[in-house]
Amino acid sequence: MTTQNPAVRVRFAPSPTGYLHIGGARTALYNYLYAKSTGGTFVLRIEDTDLERSSSEFEQLQMADLAWLGLIHDEGPDKPNPKYAPYRQSERASIYQKYSDQLIEKDLAYYDFCTEEELEEMKALAEKEGRDPTYDGKWKNPAMKAEAAARVSKGEMPAVRFRAPKKAFTLNDKVKGSVTFPENMVGDFVIVRSNGLPVYNFCCVIDDMLMDITHVIRGEDHLNNTVRQLMIYEALGAKIPEFAHVSLLIGHDRQKLSKRHGATSVNLYRNDNYLPEAMNNYLCLLGWSHPKETDIFDKADIVSLFDLERFSSHAAMYDLEKFKWVNGQHLKKMSNGDLLKLVELLPETGFIAKQTPEWKNAAIEIAKQYSHFVNDIPNMINEMILKENLEMTDTLKEILSWETTPKIIEYINTEISKVTTDFITEVELNGWMDYVKKEMGVKGKPLFQGIRAALTGKDHGPELKIMIPLTPVNVIKKRVAQLKQ
RNA sequence: GGUCUCAUCGUCUAGCCCGGUCUAGGACACCGCCUUUUCACGGCGGUAACAGGGGUUCGAAUCCCCUUGGGACUACCA
């Protein structure tokens, strides 16, 4: 399908300033998929030049989330290729320094000693005069070079400003097509702060250049930044990689997805036991479409047909409802064995270990058919079959308000107390149902809902005939006793 | 404000590049029916969209222009 191109090198470059965001996970996925589909290399680079906000804890956490999703990088801080290491920008200071000096040397950049106040004034004045607030301080003048050098040698710390060329730049984006940034769109911008730390747009270009990155797949929020990067590539005489600016993820208010939209960190879903492949699947679909319009797939199913041509160009709204459905589909797809392993890891499911293999298989089989989430398996088994402290939901209250139900509970309580075996049989259950039907005159929905409520405390769930024989009798006894109150 | 960008069912999207096969297809959600002497699952069916206006053309969701609306970026953040 896709041409094998071992030269392809893509990267995911998160800033360790927080948890891995689902938007980040999505671009990581696209990069991963593109690398795998082309036989290329997936590089992980840590963009931690903002020392204030970056931390190694977040770096570890993000890497753990990436690993959970199976988006394994081929190169990164923990898997360095000597040719390209190091992979943390904070460890590449001397490299940036070198290129910054080089640009100053060629007069493509210059030292700027302006204070914050001076810059503010400049900006205010420009706004007043209706001009774009671009830098036009005195240090822009090449004649100041000697004075600047003198002040630097005295130990002063200026910022380094890039001399933005007066010309338009055109980018051929794989998603957006031809994009032209007009002349004067940006003024001279800072590439190294006065504290000596280089800035994102500068590091990014140097690293992509030095790491031989061939394709930059990232969010559309970087589209306008690209003009600055294009300028630097040109100044450095570097080869410009292919760009693919993927549309953004938005919330229900159509704004860029952020923390205030709720659960936007991958680790939250991980903690809730969402299936990683379901997450990949759902995220992938938000902006990319399967050539055959297939909705459910694993990473492995699509590596051979992933390409950059099938991205949609408009933003996609993040929708938990569809995600839920996708998770349910993956659940049904999984083998009972794999699912059991997952379920047995949960702290609240220790009871499973004591059950027979037949019980485990039957319980998992019925549970997965019924559920959308893994957590519903333990919860369901927990609450419906084994949990001792039942919570009375509003729905339950409704059911219990049916006039027949108290009588059913009374009856079931009497019957279940006579049971001496560990499990009741389907035959016994049928007997109880027959009694309620014939002697109490209850049938249809009230019959089943009533029995279900009496036995499980829930208004919905797997078929009673399958579930009840799997439920330990002592559990049902406790539950019924509780319901009786 | 400036620059860039986007515009198909409520939502995710196919179709658009290479106009007719589109009385616009699929999925989620929703509604109905069937199955199950319950709910869910499953099966079947239904409601629902080419933002508006101009062109070009025999013919436009598809090409061009304008309007409107949305979003992003406009830092010594990334």
Side-chain angles (χ1 to χ4, degrees):
Chain A
M1 266 273 157
T2 323
T3 352
Q4 287 293 304
N5 181 1
V8 165
R9 290 175 59 82
V10 295
R11 68 356 182 236
F12 175 57
S15 298
T17 56
Y19 293 102
L20 179 65
H21 188 265
I22 46 187
R26 188 179 69 139
T27 57
L29 172 68
Y30 289 150
N31 277 284
Y32 170 90
L33 250 16
Y34 191 61
K36 297 304 154 193
S37 75
T38 54
T41 305
F42 178 44
V43 178
L44 177 69
R45 183 172 74 220
I46 306 298
E47 307 215 325
D48 54 355
T49 54
D50 184 349
L51 293 176
E52 307 259 304
R53 297 194 297 148
S54 301
S55 80
S56 59
E57 284 76 41
F58 280 130
E59 180 186 317
Q60 291 308 313
L61 254 18
Q62 292 207 14
M63 283 176 69
D65 284 341
L66 248 14
W68 174 68
L69 288 167
L71 305 178
I72 311 297
H73 51 278
D74 303 303
E75 288 176 21
D78 56 334
K79 287 183 197 167
N81 175 338
K83 188 178 171 191
Y84 301 113
Y87 292 84
R88 280 186 200 94
Q89 291 186 331
S90 59
E91 294 168 13
R92 297 171 66 81
S94 60
I95 299 172
Y96 307 129
Q97 172 77 252
K98 189 182 114 192
Y99 283 96
S100 154
D101 288 348
Q102 204 179 92
L103 290 175
I104 291 169
E105 183 86 7
K106 291 184 186 162
D107 214 30
L108 293 167
Y110 55 89
Y111 291 119
D112 174 21
F113 293 87
C114 284
T115 61
E116 219 173 292
E117 293 73 42
E118 286 176 298
L119 292 173
E120 285 296 323
E121 276 174 36
M122 232 181 271
K123 210 178 195 174
L125 186 67
E127 261 170 49
K128 211 164 125 189
E129 294 175 0
R131 286 181 289 117
D132 285 338
T134 50
Y135 181 85
D136 65 345
K138 64 174 178 175
W139 302 99
K140 188 184 176 77
N141 189 338
M144 301 299 286
K145 201 171 174 181
E147 188 185 333
R151 285 178 68 168
V152 168
S153 60
K154 272 193 291 179
E156 280 190 58
M157 293 287 279
V160 178
R161 224 169 250 282
F162 183 80
R163 204 181 285 286
K166 293 257 175 294
K167 62 176 234 186
F169 281 82
T170 296
L171 165 71
N172 263 308
D173 192 87
K174 298 294 269 180
V175 179
K176 302 291 177 188
S178 173
V179 179
T180 299
F181 304 104
E183 184 181 324
N184 290 334
M185 181 178 162
V186 293
D188 295 357
F189 55 94
V190 168
I191 54 176
V192 182
R193 303 169 174 101
S194 52
N195 65 5
L197 289 171
V199 142
Y200 164 74
N201 280 123
F202 185 56
C203 301
C204 181
V205 171
I206 305 237
D207 291 343
D208 285 343
M209 172 180 80
L210 259 23
M211 291 179 179
D212 290 332
I213 299 302
T214 57
H215 299 256
V216 174
I217 305 168
R218 71 201 338 179
E220 193 186 342
D221 46 346
H222 290 284
L223 189 58
N224 281 317
N225 271 150
T226 311
V227 66
R228 293 181 177 78
Q229 299 185 7
L230 252 20
M231 288 173 177
I232 298 172
Y233 275 109
E234 193 179 76
L236 258 23
K239 187 169 184 289
I240 295 169
E242 295 278 355
F243 287 96
H245 286 96
V246 181
S247 59
L248 263 22
L249 251 33
I250 54 180
H252 279 97
D253 54 0
R254 305 214 75 96
Q255 309 277 301
K256 181 177 168 183
L257 202 64
S258 67
K259 304 104 240 149
R260 68 194 169 72
H261 289 283
T264 54
S265 313
V266 170
N267 76 105
L268 259 26
Y269 295 88
R270 184 179 162 197
N271 291 150
D272 276 349
N273 295 299
Y274 273 64
L275 299 174
E277 279 303 337
M279 183 145 210
N280 286 328
N281 188 165
Y282 178 63
L283 254 21
C284 185
L285 249 19
L286 251 26
W288 186 83
S289 62
H290 188 114
K292 287 189 178 141
E293 290 197 64
T294 308
D295 286 305
I296 301 301
F297 48 78
D298 285 0
K299 289 194 302 301
D301 300 331
I302 56 166
V303 282
S304 62
L305 38 83
F306 185 80
D307 64 53
L308 268 21
E309 308 302 314
R310 298 193 65 81
F311 282 117
S312 61
S313 41
H314 59 272
M317 196 179 282
Y318 184 68
D319 175 28
L320 248 16
E321 270 312 302
K322 185 148 185 180
F323 191 178
K324 169 182 156 185
W325 175 77
V326 170
N327 201 267
Q329 294 301 309
H330 278 265
L331 214 57
K332 290 171 182 58
K333 243 177 62 163
M334 276 177 79
S335 73
N336 291 172
D338 288 346
L339 225 33
L340 181 64
K341 277 184 215 149
L342 222 59
V343 169
E344 282 180 324
L345 284 177
L346 301 172
E348 63 269 41
T349 52
F351 61 86
I352 286 184
K354 289 175 259 166
Q355 308 303 327
T356 65
E358 292 72 29
W359 185 93
K360 289 177 183 174
N361 194 57
I364 294 287
E365 180 63 31
I366 187 71
K368 80 174 179 185
Q369 287 312 320
Y370 173 75
S371 311
H372 286 105
F373 298 114
V374 170
N375 258 9
D376 270 0
I377 298 170
N379 285 344
M380 188 178 67
I381 292 177
N382 234 5
E383 289 177 8
M384 300 186 65
I385 302 182
L386 288 159
K387 188 171 179 178
E388 300 182 359
N389 300 314
L390 280 173
E391 279 183 29
M392 296 291 118
T393 63
D394 289 343
T395 325
L396 180 57
K397 282 178 196 149
E398 240 179 86
I399 295 166
L400 292 181
S401 70
W402 293 348
E403 57 179 292
T404 53
T405 306
K407 284 190 287 177
I408 296 175
I409 291 175
E410 188 61 42
Y411 167 69
I412 293 292
N413 185 239
T414 314
E415 289 303 313
I416 196 98
S417 61
K418 296 182 207 155
V419 177
T420 53
T421 53
D422 287 341
F423 292 91
I424 63 167
T425 63
E426 190 183 327
V427 177
E428 283 176 288
L429 176 65
N430 283 341
W432 298 350
M433 289 186 73
D434 277 346
Y435 178 87
V436 173
K437 188 161 93 180
K438 285 175 188 147
E439 305 303 319
M440 299 170 73
V442 183
K443 60 184 176 181
K445 188 167 176 154
L447 199 220
F448 267 71
Q449 292 287 48
I451 298 270
R452 175 183 292 283
L455 287 168
T456 72
K458 286 266 184 176
D459 66 334
H460 64 280
E463 206 174 327
L464 288 172
K465 287 177 187 174
I466 298 175
M467 186 176 60
I468 295 306
L470 290 169
T471 309
V473 167
N474 58 347
V475 171
I476 301 181
K477 281 182 181 172
K478 281 184 196 156
R479 200 184 284 150
V480 176
Q482 193 140 11
L483 275 174
K484 247 192 84 183
Q485 296 170 7

